[in-house]
Amino acid sequence: MSDRDERYYAAQLNMQTCSRRGLFRGLWSGVSKPVKTQAGLAAKRTVPRPPTAVDEGLLTRLCDGCGKCEEACPQRIISMIESQPTLSLDGGACTECGECQRACPTLALANTSPDKLPFTGAIATLSGMCIRQMSAPCQSCTEACPHQAIDTVNRSIAINTDKCSGCAQCRVACPAHAIQMVMQ
Ligand code: SF4
Ligand code: SF4
Protein backbone atom coordinates (compact mmCIF):
# COMPACT_ATOMS: atom_id res chain seq x y z
CA MET A 1 0.00 0.00 0.00
CA SER A 2 1.46 3.38 -0.94
CA ASP A 3 2.15 6.06 1.62
CA ARG A 4 -0.68 8.25 0.25
CA ASP A 5 -3.17 5.36 0.46
CA GLU A 6 -2.15 4.74 4.07
CA ARG A 7 -2.73 8.44 4.90
CA TYR A 8 -6.16 8.32 3.28
CA TYR A 9 -7.32 5.21 5.13
CA ALA A 10 -5.86 6.45 8.43
CA ALA A 11 -7.82 9.69 8.01
CA GLN A 12 -11.01 7.77 7.08
CA LEU A 13 -10.62 5.57 10.18
CA ASN A 14 -10.08 8.62 12.32
CA MET A 15 -13.28 10.17 10.91
CA GLN A 16 -15.24 7.00 11.71
CA THR A 17 -13.88 6.94 15.28
CA CYS A 18 -14.92 10.59 15.69
CA SER A 19 -18.35 9.71 14.31
CA ARG A 20 -18.85 6.90 16.81
CA ARG A 21 -17.80 9.22 19.63
CA GLY A 22 -20.25 11.80 18.31
CA LEU A 23 -23.04 9.21 18.26
CA PHE A 24 -22.51 8.25 21.92
CA ARG A 25 -22.21 11.91 22.91
CA GLY A 26 -25.52 12.52 21.15
CA LEU A 27 -27.23 9.63 22.95
CA TRP A 28 -25.98 10.77 26.36
CA SER A 29 -26.83 14.41 25.90
CA GLY A 30 -30.59 13.80 25.86
CA VAL A 31 -33.20 14.17 23.16
CA SER A 32 -33.10 17.93 22.79
CA LYS A 33 -30.32 17.58 20.22
CA PRO A 34 -30.79 15.25 17.25
CA VAL A 35 -28.33 12.33 17.08
CA LYS A 36 -26.17 13.03 14.10
CA THR A 37 -25.31 10.37 11.57
CA GLN A 38 -21.79 10.00 10.23
CA ALA A 39 -22.84 11.97 7.15
CA GLY A 40 -24.38 14.62 9.42
CA LEU A 41 -21.06 15.04 11.20
CA ALA A 42 -19.34 16.09 8.00
CA ALA A 43 -18.35 19.73 8.40
CA LYS A 44 -20.37 22.06 6.20
CA ARG A 45 -18.44 23.48 3.27
CA THR A 46 -18.42 27.26 3.57
CA VAL A 47 -16.37 28.06 0.48
CA PRO A 48 -16.28 26.36 -2.94
CA ARG A 49 -13.60 23.68 -3.35
CA PRO A 50 -12.25 21.80 -6.38
CA PRO A 51 -15.08 19.50 -7.50
CA THR A 52 -13.46 16.26 -6.35
CA ALA A 53 -12.38 17.51 -2.91
CA VAL A 54 -13.16 15.09 -0.10
CA ASP A 55 -15.42 16.10 2.80
CA GLU A 56 -14.21 19.12 4.76
CA GLY A 57 -13.09 17.17 7.84
CA LEU A 58 -11.09 14.75 5.75
CA LEU A 59 -9.68 17.58 3.60
CA THR A 60 -8.17 19.20 6.70
CA ARG A 61 -6.37 15.95 7.45
CA LEU A 62 -5.27 15.06 3.93
CA CYS A 63 -4.36 18.41 2.34
CA ASP A 64 -0.85 19.52 3.27
CA GLY A 65 -1.25 22.92 1.58
CA CYS A 66 1.37 22.26 -1.12
CA GLY A 67 -0.54 24.32 -3.74
CA LYS A 68 0.08 21.91 -6.62
CA CYS A 69 -3.62 22.02 -7.56
CA GLU A 70 -3.42 25.82 -7.72
CA GLU A 71 -0.52 25.59 -10.17
CA ALA A 72 -2.25 22.91 -12.25
CA CYS A 73 -5.64 24.59 -12.75
CA PRO A 74 -5.82 25.86 -16.36
CA GLN A 75 -8.67 28.20 -15.42
CA ARG A 76 -6.60 29.80 -12.61
CA ILE A 77 -9.55 29.65 -10.23
CA ILE A 78 -7.86 27.85 -7.32
CA SER A 79 -6.31 29.87 -4.51
CA MET A 80 -4.76 28.44 -1.39
CA ILE A 81 -6.62 30.12 1.46
CA GLU A 82 -5.69 29.04 4.98
CA SER A 83 -3.55 26.40 3.23
CA GLN A 84 -6.54 24.77 1.56
CA PRO A 85 -7.70 24.93 -2.07
CA THR A 86 -10.55 27.38 -2.57
CA LEU A 87 -12.32 28.13 -5.85
CA SER A 88 -13.00 31.64 -7.04
CA LEU A 89 -16.22 31.15 -9.02
CA ASP A 90 -16.76 34.91 -9.33
CA GLY A 91 -13.73 35.14 -11.57
CA GLY A 92 -14.32 32.13 -13.81
CA ALA A 93 -15.73 28.64 -14.00
CA CYS A 94 -14.52 25.13 -13.37
CA THR A 95 -14.42 22.98 -16.50
CA GLU A 96 -14.18 19.80 -14.41
CA CYS A 97 -11.01 18.90 -16.29
CA GLY A 98 -9.58 16.93 -13.37
CA GLU A 99 -6.11 18.54 -13.56
CA CYS A 100 -6.23 19.56 -9.88
CA GLN A 101 -7.03 16.02 -8.84
CA ARG A 102 -4.21 14.60 -10.95
CA ALA A 103 -1.74 17.13 -9.53
CA CYS A 104 -2.65 16.44 -5.91
CA PRO A 105 0.04 14.26 -4.25
CA THR A 106 -2.25 13.25 -1.38
CA LEU A 107 -5.82 11.95 -1.71
CA ALA A 108 -7.36 15.29 -0.72
CA LEU A 109 -9.02 15.65 -4.14
CA ALA A 110 -9.83 11.98 -4.64
CA ASN A 111 -13.59 12.04 -4.13
CA THR A 112 -14.45 10.29 -7.38
CA SER A 113 -17.16 7.80 -6.53
CA PRO A 114 -18.94 6.91 -9.82
CA ASP A 115 -22.37 7.54 -8.28
CA LYS A 116 -21.34 10.92 -6.88
CA LEU A 117 -21.50 14.05 -9.03
CA PRO A 118 -18.44 16.31 -8.81
CA PHE A 119 -19.51 19.12 -6.51
CA THR A 120 -17.82 22.41 -5.64
CA GLY A 121 -20.21 23.18 -2.76
CA ALA A 122 -21.92 26.06 -4.57
CA ILE A 123 -25.08 25.91 -6.67
CA ALA A 124 -26.39 28.08 -9.46
CA THR A 125 -29.40 30.30 -8.77
CA LEU A 126 -31.28 32.69 -11.00
CA SER A 127 -30.79 36.04 -9.31
CA GLY A 128 -31.25 38.61 -12.05
CA MET A 129 -33.51 39.09 -15.02
CA CYS A 130 -33.35 36.29 -17.56
CA ILE A 131 -33.71 37.88 -21.00
CA ARG A 132 -36.15 35.12 -21.98
CA GLN A 133 -38.64 37.27 -20.05
CA MET A 134 -38.34 39.74 -22.91
CA SER A 135 -38.97 36.98 -25.45
CA ALA A 136 -35.26 36.62 -26.35
CA PRO A 137 -34.64 33.07 -27.57
CA CYS A 138 -31.59 32.71 -25.29
CA GLN A 139 -30.56 29.30 -24.04
CA SER A 140 -26.88 30.01 -23.33
CA CYS A 141 -26.96 28.60 -19.81
CA THR A 142 -28.75 25.43 -20.88
CA GLU A 143 -26.20 24.82 -23.59
CA ALA A 144 -23.24 25.59 -21.29
CA CYS A 145 -24.27 23.26 -18.48
CA PRO A 146 -22.28 19.99 -18.58
CA HIS A 147 -24.84 18.21 -16.39
CA GLN A 148 -28.11 19.12 -18.13
CA ALA A 149 -29.20 20.81 -14.90
CA ILE A 150 -30.99 23.71 -16.60
CA ASP A 151 -34.25 23.57 -18.56
CA THR A 152 -35.84 26.42 -20.41
CA VAL A 153 -39.40 26.95 -19.23
CA ASN A 154 -41.66 29.39 -21.03
CA ARG A 155 -40.02 32.78 -20.45
CA SER A 156 -37.45 31.70 -17.88
CA ILE A 157 -35.27 28.80 -16.81
CA ALA A 158 -35.47 26.11 -14.12
CA ILE A 159 -32.30 24.95 -12.38
CA ASN A 160 -32.31 21.42 -11.00
CA THR A 161 -30.11 21.78 -7.92
CA ASP A 162 -29.76 17.99 -7.56
CA LYS A 163 -27.90 17.87 -10.85
CA CYS A 164 -25.89 21.08 -10.40
CA SER A 165 -22.18 20.53 -9.68
CA GLY A 166 -21.55 24.20 -8.91
CA CYS A 167 -19.12 24.64 -11.81
CA ALA A 168 -20.36 28.17 -12.72
CA GLN A 169 -20.19 27.54 -16.47
CA CYS A 170 -23.78 28.80 -16.78
CA ARG A 171 -22.91 31.96 -14.84
CA VAL A 172 -20.08 32.70 -17.25
CA ALA A 173 -22.28 31.93 -20.29
CA CYS A 174 -25.25 34.08 -19.26
CA PRO A 175 -25.23 37.31 -21.33
CA ALA A 176 -27.53 39.04 -18.82
CA HIS A 177 -25.47 38.18 -15.70
CA ALA A 178 -28.65 36.70 -14.28
CA ILE A 179 -27.07 33.68 -12.60
CA GLN A 180 -25.24 33.74 -9.29
CA MET A 181 -23.36 31.03 -7.45
CA VAL A 182 -24.36 30.58 -3.81
CA MET A 183 -23.14 28.11 -1.23
CA GLN A 184 -25.56 25.27 -0.70
S1 SF4 B 1 -11.27 20.54 -12.22
FE1 SF4 B 1 -9.89 21.69 -13.61
S2 SF4 B 1 -10.89 23.70 -13.91
FE2 SF4 B 1 -11.84 22.72 -12.13
S3 SF4 B 1 -10.72 23.51 -10.35
FE3 SF4 B 1 -9.76 21.57 -10.91
S4 SF4 B 1 -8.10 22.13 -12.30
FE4 SF4 B 1 -9.46 23.91 -12.17
S1 SF4 C 1 -26.46 24.60 -13.51
FE1 SF4 C 1 -24.67 25.93 -13.92
S2 SF4 C 1 -23.31 25.62 -12.14
FE2 SF4 C 1 -24.79 23.93 -12.15
S3 SF4 C 1 -23.76 22.25 -13.24
FE3 SF4 C 1 -25.00 23.40 -14.76
S4 SF4 C 1 -23.58 24.92 -15.60
FE4 SF4 C 1 -22.61 24.13 -13.71
Side-chain angles (χ1 to χ4, degrees):
M1 189 184 288
S2 72
D3 180 47
R4 81 182 213 159
D5 287 345
E6 274 173 21
R7 281 185 65 196
Y8 179 73
Y9 290 117
Q12 278 280 18
L13 228 92
N14 202 356
M15 286 282 285
Q16 280 166 16
T17 309
C18 290
S19 300
R20 275 197 294 275
R21 277 195 213 118
L23 175 67
F24 288 123
R25 226 180 278 132
L27 285 169
W28 287 326
S29 62
V31 289
S32 57
K33 287 188 213 152
V35 176
K36 291 178 178 172
T37 62
Q38 184 174 335
L41 281 172
K44 192 168 162 50
R45 191 164 282 180
T46 54
V47 289
R49 302 279 187 212
T52 57
V54 296
D55 288 341
E56 289 294 284
L58 203 49
L59 185 74
T60 313
R61 290 172 173 82
L62 291 174
C63 175
D64 61 9
C66 71
K68 291 199 168 132
C69 54
E70 181 181 22
E71 287 164 26
C73 178
Q75 304 302 318
R76 296 279 172 255
I77 54 169
I78 302 181
S79 307
M80 298 304 292
I81 297 179
E82 292 176 2
S83 298
Q84 293 199 332
T86 307
L87 291 194
S88 167
L89 296 175
D90 294 333
C94 169
T95 57
E96 299 174 3
C97 66
E99 289 297 330
C100 50
Q101 187 206 347
R102 285 187 280 279
C104 177
T106 73
L107 288 160
L109 304 182
N111 200 0
T112 52
S113 152
D115 43 289
K116 202 166 174 181
L117 192 71
F119 186 50
T120 65
I123 48 169
T125 54
L126 185 62
S127 62
M129 195 175 79
C130 170
I131 55 174
R132 291 178 61 80
Q133 284 176 26
M134 295 178 288
S135 301
C138 180
Q139 42 187 27
S140 300
C141 57
T142 314
E143 286 166 359
C145 178
H147 299 290
Q148 293 77 49
I150 307 180
D151 291 318
T152 49
V153 285
N154 299 323
R155 291 184 160 204
S156 190
I157 56 161
I159 300 172
N160 182 341
T161 53
D162 290 339
K163 288 186 179 176
C164 175
S165 68
C167 67
Q169 292 187 46
C170 56
R171 187 196 62 70
V172 169
C174 175
H177 307 291
I179 296 176
Q180 237 191 350
M181 303 306 297
V182 293
M183 288 308 290
Q184 195 184 39

